[in-house]
Amino acid sequence: MDNWSNGCLIMMLFLILLMSFVVDVKGGNLMFNVKHKYGGHEGLSLKDFKEHDNFRHGRMLNAIDFKLGGNGLPTDAALYYTRLAVGTPPKDYHVQVDTGSDILWLNCVGCKGCPTKSNLGIDLMSYETKASATGRSVACDEQFCMLNTPYSDCKAGMPCHFQVSYGDGSKTAGFFVKDNIQFDQVSGDLKTTYMNGSITFGCSSQQSGELGTSNQAVDGILGFGRASSSLLSQLASTGKVKKIFSHCLDGKKGGGIFTVGPVVYPQINHTTPLVPDAPHYNVMMKGIDVGGQALDIPTTMAIIDSGTTLAYLPHVVYNTLMNKLIERQPQLEIRLVEKIFHCFDYTGKIDDGFPVVTFKFADSVSLTVYPHDYLFQVRETQWCIGWQDSGMQTKDGSGRGITLLGDLALTNKLVVYNIEKQTIGWTEYDCSSTIKLNYEESDGSAYAVAAHNISSAHIMDSTMFFTFFLTIISVLFILLKW
């Protein structure tokens, strides 16, 4: 072969191999590509993860699959986000998936204080109603506004405004709009098809605090809370889905499963009731066992929130738990890192050296958190404790009585939120495997939904690149000899 032919073959092979790395195949019952917000921890301090927690705080088309990415490690990833196709023609927006808030909002064109760049490897987008053939503003006298954000000085045709404040003082404000959003509906085993839904969401015109300055910025937040304003509630009100969703966050490999619809496998044998009329996914916590020994603490309310990275306990409960943990290792030299985290050096196996923590809830439901869940490795021999004093969560100390269980406690478990029955339940599970969702109640059809990890779906990591590079060199050598 001449050099020209060799060069053409090499170029074709290069393009084919490159495409195999960057092509992203979408499918499924309503499905979102979800990725962990922090994707990698380069340049981040431990304080970044705490600050993130501070501010965020008939036949039915009844199954939606959200592709997950990232993980819940405070030193690696700290939030999950997904990609939504919004408008006509559809444009992609990356939004944080948050079970602790109630509305979907996007950064909008002309926003003051909204982020303009992100270190997450994504191009930030701004929504504009005029750029979508199906987009329109929502007036304050429309039913959605009167139910969710009523105010006395509304006049016909005036926009429906919203404002959201977070624990660290960050705020976002703007007005509601309505447009089509493209979902991936589960249509078979490991298969999806597209489905459009008309959704009312916030168009952020102003931001302040951490929301507008974070290097790990996204295009908005997707609230999966209990209120009628949430995306889930809006879809359910039109009969497209049931008000049931679940997540299984893989704390070992990253990614996991996030779906809308009834889960039939694995079975959730025990559930605990949601507290009626509570603003979040609140449950009654009856007690805590540490290494099989019950702590002397009162019954209190706890919030289950996958949008939070760590776990927060009331001051008295926190001190009692920490004292019990340290009893096992009295020789440890505990030091405070960044004025937030209690850290120590340890060379043994943490699951052997520290106790299991078990939370007890109403109706005899328990949630087990292992040492490898609540301890995270900062360096080869340095570990930090993930339990936090909830009194330190907000600047004004208003959260001092809150028990807030985030990803630290929820990873490696399938958690099912059944809002229709007002219950929540979980079971330990391999979150890198598959679950089955009920598709049509009349004939008992169930479809498999697989775990996803899109954290590396668009970025070639060093190992993949090295393998790719060696392949090219090997083929080049063979062709030149030929």
Side-chain angles (χ1 to χ4, degrees), residues 48-113:
D48 291 321
F49 306 107
K50 183 68 174 290
E51 288 182 348
H52 151 63
D53 285 347
N54 287 347
F55 78 79
R56 41 129 290 89
H57 277 135
R59 178 169 180 169
M60 286 187 167
L61 304 176
N62 64 349
I64 302 173
D65 179 17
F66 298 76
K67 287 183 179 177
L68 282 177
N71 58 65
L73 295 174
T75 53
D76 186 1
L79 190 68
Y80 292 88
Y81 65 87
T82 189
R83 192 169 53 240
L84 289 179
V86 181
T88 307
K91 294 182 179 180
D92 287 343
Y93 300 87
H94 294 84
V95 290
Q96 169 192 343
V97 177
D98 181 18
T99 61
S101 61
D102 293 315
I103 67 169
L104 161 66
W105 58 264
L106 299 175
N107 300 328
C108 281
V109 170
C111 175
K112 297 180 181 179

Side-chain angles (χ1 to χ4, degrees), residues 419-482:
I419 305 172
E420 298 194 351
K421 293 184 177 180
Q422 291 292 293
T423 61
I424 185 171
W426 47 78
T427 185
E428 293 187 20
Y429 196 63
D430 178 5
C431 295
S432 65
S433 58
T434 62
I435 65 173
K436 287 192 174 183
L437 299 180
N438 178 247
Y439 179 68
E440 188 175 359
E441 291 181 320
S442 60
D443 65 2
S445 298
Y447 293 143
V449 176
H452 306 282
N453 186 354
I454 66 165
S455 297
S456 58
H458 305 289
I459 302 175
M460 193 186 307
D461 64 26
S462 58
T463 301
M464 293 171 66
F465 182 82
F466 186 66
T467 303
F468 175 75
F469 180 74
L470 287 181
T471 302
I472 291 295
I473 294 298
S474 299
V475 172
L476 177 60
F477 179 75
I478 292 171
L479 289 175
L480 289 177
K481 286 186 66 178
W482 186 25

